Amino acid sequence: MSTAINETTTAAATQAAAGADETTTAGTSRSAFTVAVTADAARPDGTSIHGDLGLRRLSENGISWRVLPSYTDPVPLADLAGVQAVLSLGHIAFDARTVDHAPDLRLIARFGAGYETIDLDACTRAGVVVTNTPDAIRRPLAVAGLTLLLALSHKLLAKDRLTRTSDWAQREHFRGAPLVGQTVGIVGFGSVGAELARLLAPVGLKVVGNNRSGRHPEAAALGVELLGLNELLERSDYVVLCAALTPATEKLIDAAALARMKPSAYLINIGRGKLVDTDALRDALRDGRIAGAGLDVFEPEPLLPDDDLLTFDNVVLSPHSLCWTEDFTRDVSAAALGSILAMAAGERPANVLNPEVFATGAFAAKQASAYL
């Protein structure tokens, strides 16, 4: 829940909102608070590839918004003039050069959980709050992982092909893999991993996990044993990547890691494409050193048309959108817009990634100048 930044800024925000144009529409409001929506996933009228973002909530609260004129990464500095908040729909970079030269910018609200392209230290120094939406994405992403696991275990892609080509005689060669009693190893065992563990329990799968701290408050209750990465890879029949992308986790699953997996094991990636050394994965699949893979994320995105990953029958692919459901868009949008509304009202939003920003002089100066 949001809390007041301080009484002065809250009162100032209320006074500013009271004076806002009640007929605010995209790009036409005289509101004291303006939001820029990144153009990587939105069109000029505010419609998006995710569905209805609910931007009318901003208009109804006297906040003006506009979609940035082009998908340019990083955002041109001129496009951020007079912008107090950015609704970042994708993975556009916000580095020191950008935030240091955006004097009006006070908030970057990330639509989703990942924030590897946002320089949190630079944002803190510049007095820019950064938020994401981890709670809203937890269930959809966990369901995406379960979907890939079941598709792989049942060899769904091959069976779909046999049905479409009327090659039913070959179905005996594509019996599904066992599930009950098998082990799923979740790399990056956090909130999404815990949700996935809850979904897997009724299927009869055992879950082990790995994370940087070696601890998780729900692990014991869920019956999840936390292991070192090497032991997890060696014991697991399905390895699911949920880890955040950081310098420490880039290419975490390399040739050596893949060599530790069972030849009968499957790799599933719902985290980030760069968690995996894709060249090593292609080699492992080509040589039959693992049973297959389910991938919703890649490096690069989109895949090139001649990528060998597109040719393997034991690989299930999704274009970084498997968790895009109507409830995903509704809940993630609500959380991201909630951060914007809180900041516009002089309150601290939820899910702040750099809470130390509130103690900086840069943030205090922006708050003070916002209502002059």
Side-chain angles (χ1 to χ4, degrees):
M1 180 177 293
S2 303
T3 56
I5 294 172
N6 58 52
E7 293 181 0
T8 302
T9 55
T10 301
T14 302
Q15 181 178 358
D21 188 343
E22 296 181 357
T23 61
T24 299
T25 57
T28 62
S29 171
R30 295 188 299 274
S31 169
F33 201 95
T34 298
V35 177
V37 183
T38 59
D40 46 353
R43 305 173 187 93
D45 63 356
T47 59
S48 87
I49 62 176
H50 297 292
D52 182 9
L53 298 174
L55 295 174
R56 60 188 172 278
R57 285 184 63 196
L58 299 179
S59 303
E60 290 167 358
N61 283 273
I63 296 173
S64 89
W65 58 268
R66 63 174 181 265
V67 177
L68 291 172
S70 65
Y71 177 14
T72 305
D73 189 7
V75 177
L77 297 177
D79 290 347
L80 295 177
V83 169
Q84 282 73 42
V86 170
L87 175 58
S88 179
L89 298 180
H91 303 289
I92 286 178
F94 286 91
D95 55 13
R97 176 184 176 276
T98 300
V99 298
D100 286 349
H101 295 86
D104 300 308
L105 186 62
R106 295 157 55 201
L107 171 70
I108 298 171
R110 174 76 176 88
F111 181 95
Y115 55 91
E116 65 273 9
T117 59
I118 301 174
D119 187 332
L120 292 184
D121 290 338
C123 288
T124 299
R125 291 192 300 269
V128 177
V129 180
V130 183
T131 63
N132 66 349
T133 61
D135 297 331
I137 202 171
R138 180 184 299 125
R139 173 54 71 95
L141 199 55
V143 170
L146 175 63
T147 300
L148 288 172
L149 188 152
L150 293 176
L152 290 166
S153 67
H154 289 286
K155 295 180 170 56
L156 184 60
L157 185 63
K159 290 175 179 176
D160 177 87
R161 176 176 52 79
L162 294 180
T163 306
R164 293 178 187 278
T165 58
S166 298
D167 196 10
W168 288 46
Q170 297 300 314
R171 58 185 173 170
E172 65 176 296
H173 303 298
F174 295 96
R175 293 187 181 90
L179 283 176
V180 176
Q182 297 292 284
T183 297
V184 178
I186 300 176
V187 179
F189 189 84
S191 61
V192 172
E195 189 71 12
L196 179 56
R198 276 187 280 272
L199 296 175
L200 293 171
V203 184
L205 288 154
K206 179 181 179 180
V207 179
V208 296
N210 166 267
N211 61 26
R212 183 174 56 183
S213 69
R215 301 184 302 276
H216 190 276
E218 295 181 88
L222 292 168
V224 176
E225 184 182 4
L226 295 178
L227 307 172
L229 179 60
N230 289 343
E231 185 178 359
L232 179 146
L233 294 171
E234 292 165 358
R235 287 174 49 176
S236 297
D237 300 290
Y238 302 88
V239 174
V240 184
L241 305 182
C242 298
L245 179 62
T246 68
T249 60
E250 186 168 345
K251 293 189 178 181
L252 181 68
I253 305 301
D254 56 10
L258 290 165
R260 291 184 178 276
M261 293 175 61
K262 301 176 184 179
S264 59
Y266 294 90
L267 178 70
I268 296 167
N269 192 0
I270 56 173
R272 287 288 184 265
K274 287 185 178 181
L275 294 174
V276 178
D277 181 334
T278 307
D279 288 334
L281 176 60
R282 291 189 195 96
D283 290 342
L285 290 166
R286 190 181 297 110
D287 298 341
R289 285 184 272 118
I290 63 172
L295 308 172
D296 185 50
V297 289
F298 308 91
E299 173 58 26
E301 292 185 0
L303 287 174
L304 298 176
D306 61 349
D307 197 307
D308 283 352
L309 288 175
L310 301 171
T311 69
F312 297 127
D313 284 341
N314 57 344
V315 178
V316 179
L317 307 173
S318 171
H320 202 157
S321 61
L322 194 55
C323 71
W324 292 6
T325 58
E326 291 185 6
D327 54 338
F328 161 85
T329 301
R330 179 197 65 215
D331 295 343
V332 175
S333 296
L337 295 179
S339 294
I340 294 170
L341 292 171
M343 282 295 295
E347 299 173 351
R348 292 193 182 190
N351 301 313
V352 175
L353 295 168
N354 58 336
E356 60 275 15
V357 69
F358 297 115
T360 65
F363 177 78
K366 288 188 174 184
Q367 287 296 100
S369 65
Y371 305 108
L372 293 178

